Amino acid sequence: MTASDDDVAARCHANCIEYAREGARGSRSAGEISEQGGVLLLASGSDFPVFANMAFRLDPALGAAAVIDLADAWFAQRGRGWSLGTTSWADGDQDLIEAASDRGLLTTTDTPGMVCDERLADAEPPDGIELRTLTTEEEAMAFIAMCDQAYTSLGLPAGVFQAMAVAPVRMPPHTITVGAFEGDALLSGAQVTFSHGIAGIYCVGTAEEARGRGLAELATRAATNIGFDGGAPYVTLQASPMGEPIYRRMGYRELYRYANHSRFV
């Protein structure tokens, strides 16, 4: 990668970590955020190890064994499993990836970290579909319920999203959610989070009964352009197997690999 891409990848990972923090913040009193010795530890209202309980190395000088020891101890006190988030950019997390395997953590996700470098053509909703930014508590709850159901296709148990979004849901000011509606029904959506001088796309999902209509691309395209219109020089996302070919067609390129290494209890 070029030096420029190294900087882009670092910002993308930082944006991803910031979004992960929101899972703990959204859990209110059931969530915890702790920074200890160069490690960020995040627990949410769900005890599921993947996505809902995370550890990230913040200090690149900290050894991999120390990261895993600290996370193992912290999550063991809470009686739950956890996941270590890593990236492949500049081989900066290679020691973490190897240590995770040696210490018995399972690689539960390995997805492309992708970047879009320029604004896309505007999304054009099909007949009967309205695309709009979510503004009400009712709409926010509908989005969470849709994601909770949609992400079971990727192996996430039902209930994880709702455990991480305690009512009344308060979307942070740096996150905007786009929904595709048919009448009053929210069928698909995506979120864009601004941090570290860029924007990241998260929680792209479509209700199972509405799949195959291009609604996820519609919402992602709109969220991507909100990122650019908000001043981001590029927009990032971590692609699921279902989403990757769509994002490539839209204009996203793979920059690195993003993985979760999970400890189940």
Side-chain angles (χ1 to χ4, degrees):
M1 291 190 298
T2 67
S4 175
D5 273 354
D6 278 347
D7 178 67
V8 172
R11 290 174 182 265
C12 291
H13 189 43
N15 183 273
C16 178
I17 292 172
E18 179 59 29
Y19 189 80
R21 288 178 187 267
E22 292 302 336
R25 293 178 183 133
S27 299
R28 306 287 182 85
S29 61
E32 293 184 74
I33 300 175
S34 178
E35 291 189 26
Q36 301 181 23
V39 179
L40 174 64
L41 302 157
L42 303 169
S44 77
S46 169
D47 64 1
F48 190 66
V50 186
F51 179 66
N53 293 277
M54 296 293 303
F56 297 95
R57 179 169 63 183
L58 301 180
D59 180 0
L62 185 63
V67 174
I68 295 174
D69 285 344
L70 198 158
D72 268 339
W74 194 80
F75 284 102
Q77 291 175 352
R78 289 149 183 81
R80 57 177 63 184
W82 60 280
S83 291
L84 175 67
T86 67
T87 77
S88 66
W89 66 272
D91 291 328
D93 281 345
Q94 188 58 38
D95 62 329
L96 279 180
I97 295 169
E98 293 172 0
S101 177
D102 291 342
R103 297 283 292 273
L105 277 71
L106 302 177
T107 302
T108 46
T109 68
D110 183 359
T111 61
M114 307 183 80
V115 171
C116 186
D117 300 292
E118 59 185 10
R119 196 182 191 282
L120 304 174
D122 286 323
E124 295 294 336
D127 290 344
I129 297 296
E130 180 187 4
L131 195 64
R132 65 175 185 261
T133 299
L134 275 56
T135 59
T136 69
E137 170 72 11
E138 182 180 11
E139 290 173 341
M141 293 300 293
F143 176 79
I144 291 161
M146 181 276 295
C147 287
D148 207 57
Q149 182 263 335
Y151 274 71
T152 60
S153 299
L154 297 176
L156 209 63
V160 172
F161 276 89
Q162 298 198 15
M164 297 171 68
V166 177
V169 177
R170 298 170 186 164
M171 295 295 181
H174 57 280
T175 295
I176 297 171
T177 306
V178 176
F181 290 80
E182 189 170 51
D184 294 329
L186 189 153
L187 301 182
S188 185
Q191 293 185 315
V192 56
T193 287
F194 293 88
S195 79
H196 299 83
I198 67 166
I201 305 299
Y202 300 95
C203 286
V204 178
T206 301
E208 188 172 356
E209 67 274 12
R211 292 176 182 173
R213 299 169 60 182
L215 300 183
E217 178 176 350
L218 180 76
T220 303
R221 184 177 292 272
T224 298
N225 286 342
I226 288 173
F228 283 111
D229 294 345
Y234 37 80
V235 179
T236 185
L237 54 76
Q238 294 85 44
S240 70
M242 290 185 292
E244 181 180 355
I246 298 172
Y247 304 139
R248 289 188 185 278
R249 186 177 71 243
M250 289 169 60
Y252 278 85
R253 62 186 173 96
E254 181 175 337
L255 187 57
Y256 60 89
R257 303 295 298 184
Y258 176 81
N260 278 307
H261 315 270
S262 304
R263 173 87 75 204
F264 291 84
V265 295

